[in-house]
Amino acid sequence: MLRIDRILSGMGICSRSEAVQYLRKNIITDPKNNKRILSTSHKVCEKDINKLLCNGKVFDYPTLNLTILLNKPVGYLCSTSREESNHKIIYDLLPIEFFNRSPLLSSVGRLDLESCGLLILTQDGQLQHQLLSSPTLEKRYLVGFTPPLVDEKEIIEMKRVFESGKFLLRSEEEPLKPVTNFEVIDDTHIAISIVEGRYHQVRRMFAAFGKRVEFLKRIQIGSIEIDEVIEKEGKWRVMKEEEIVKLSSV
């Protein structure tokens, strides 16, 4: 059982200190007895949160463990702070309530300012830890670079090094884990899958071969791909329970 002020805060509706005023201004109905909730100490079963009524309607996204997929555009920081640069942040793409949720709807890993593509955000700390610490969860990237590939010999050598498990990046002490699904799209685009997420890893990998990455898009995480719902950059959707279960079992 959870206090109503905890629930409202968890969904980003208001802070716990603001809950008294919120309950006065809105008719919140307990699904168990259909009576109005007036006290912040009133408790509701967590499984009944999706049945709570606010002025006769259920809340949007009534859960304290919200997990979403976002198709991040270039130019947005994976941060809660704009820092000194005053850049846009990923929360600018989401409902304001998502930024106010407690615990915070946090990104699972990051995409840098100049990268785009699939990003998972979740309130579920256990899920976040599970995905970040997984040694087998593959992330697939489409990489655009210059100058173009010269010949088949260069492709073969790049593929050999990427897949070797012995590729040591500059200033690193441990070699990278092997790349999988190395796929040449054309002479300036390659798709690869990796299981790590070191600092600017993909950009540094290609830089070691004299390639400057000009386009970097994460197109898949495990079995989750960018679908038609979030095909357009900046779009997001709630993850399905079966998707979360499948992803966390990797």
Side-chain angles (χ1 to χ4, degrees), residues 73-95:
V74 169
Y76 285 80
L77 285 172
C78 290
S79 172
T80 58
S81 170
R82 299 181 192 281
E83 303 174 354
E84 295 179 3
S85 60
N86 202 34
H87 280 298
K88 293 175 286 188
I89 59 176
I90 53 175
Y91 297 96
D92 293 335
L93 300 165
L94 306 172

Side-chain angles (χ1 to χ4, degrees), residues 10-205:
M11 294 193 296
I13 305 300
C14 64
S15 68
R16 297 187 76 162
S17 62
E18 296 168 336
V20 172
Q21 289 299 320
Y22 190 86
L23 292 175
R24 287 176 182 171
K25 293 178 180 179
N26 298 275
I27 301 175
I28 311 301
T29 308
D30 188 326
K32 284 292 185 181
N33 55 23
N34 291 320
K35 291 184 177 181
R36 182 176 181 180
I37 299 172
L38 294 170
S39 170
T40 55
S41 62
H42 185 95
K43 293 186 176 181
V44 176
C45 188
E46 188 169 359
K47 67 180 178 62
D48 290 330
I49 292 176
N50 62 350
K51 300 172 189 173
L52 274 172
L53 297 181
C54 177
N55 301 322
K57 297 180 179 179
V58 295
F59 286 97
D60 292 332
Y61 317 109
T63 174
L64 303 185
N65 279 315
L66 183 66
T67 301
I68 68 169
L69 293 173
L70 170 67
N71 186 354
K72 175 194 170 300
V74 169
Y76 285 80
L77 285 172
C78 290
S79 172
T80 58
S81 170
R82 299 181 192 281
E83 303 174 354
E84 295 179 3
S85 60
N86 202 34
H87 280 298
K88 293 175 286 188
I89 59 176
I90 53 175
Y91 297 96
D92 293 335
L93 300 165
L94 306 172
I96 186 64
E97 293 85 5
F98 286 14
F99 183 70
N100 294 329
R101 282 184 167 246
S102 178
L104 181 67
L105 188 68
S106 303
S107 62
V108 180
R110 297 187 173 205
L111 289 172
D112 64 41
L113 186 67
E114 300 304 324
S115 300
C116 60
L118 200 57
L119 194 65
I120 296 174
L121 292 93
T122 186
Q123 283 185 280
D124 189 335
Q126 183 177 350
L127 175 65
Q128 183 180 41
H129 174 73
Q130 207 169 356
L131 298 182
L132 287 174
S133 61
S134 172
T136 57
L137 181 64
E138 290 189 343
K139 283 78 69 175
R140 188 156 181 79
Y141 294 86
L142 176 62
V143 188
F145 52 84
T146 58
L149 295 165
V150 176
D151 52 27
E152 189 67 23
K153 182 179 178 181
E154 184 180 25
I155 295 172
I156 291 172
E157 178 61 11
M158 184 182 288
K159 185 175 188 291
R160 182 191 70 79
V161 173
F162 280 10
E163 294 178 347
S164 67
K166 300 177 181 179
F167 187 13
L168 192 64
L169 293 173
R170 182 180 297 178
S171 77
E172 297 276 355
E173 296 182 356
E174 291 290 330
L176 297 174
K177 292 184 179 179
V179 161
T180 58
N181 300 315
F182 182 98
E183 179 186 3
V184 177
I185 309 301
D186 55 41
D187 62 357
T188 58
H189 291 85
I190 286 175
I192 59 171
S193 297
I194 61 176
V195 294
E196 295 178 282
R198 302 192 195 182
Y199 179 72
H200 288 171
Q201 179 177 333
V202 175
R203 296 182 187 277
R204 293 164 67 200
M205 288 168 63

